[in-house]
Amino acid sequence: MRLLDRKLADALHRIRHGSSLELVEEARRDEKQLLSELDRLMTRMRAIEGQLLQIQKSATRH
């Protein structure tokens, strides 16, 4: 997740400070792809947290 955050920060920096339209467009494509990856990772993390909570709840009932 930290690596994705750093790559996203780099892409945003390139969008703001790009020297050409082509470089800015490339950075926007990178940003879109990185946001998609980050969303997928965070969704998976939430699913795992939910599973762990269910395990914890069932363990405390016994």
Side-chain angles (χ1 to χ4, degrees):
M1 191 161 153
R2 288 184 198 143
L3 178 60
L4 287 174
D5 281 337
R6 284 195 303 261
K7 287 182 176 183
L8 185 56
D10 177 62
L12 292 172
H13 182 269
R14 289 184 290 134
I15 290 169
R16 289 188 193 111
H17 305 288
S19 58
S20 72
L21 190 56
E22 289 176 2
L23 292 175
V24 171
E25 286 303 316
E26 180 183 354
R28 286 178 202 245
R29 287 190 300 272
D30 291 347
E31 177 195 26
K32 184 177 179 180
Q33 185 261 334
L34 290 164
L35 286 172
S36 176
E37 284 184 45
L38 190 57
D39 180 59
R40 191 172 21 255
L41 176 62
M42 292 178 75
T43 299
R44 184 66 185 134
M45 288 172 61
R46 285 191 299 274
I48 291 169
E49 287 172 351
Q51 290 173 345
L52 291 173
L53 283 173
Q54 292 299 323
I55 291 168
Q56 184 180 21
K57 283 181 183 179
S58 67
T60 57
R61 290 183 189 161
H62 295 112

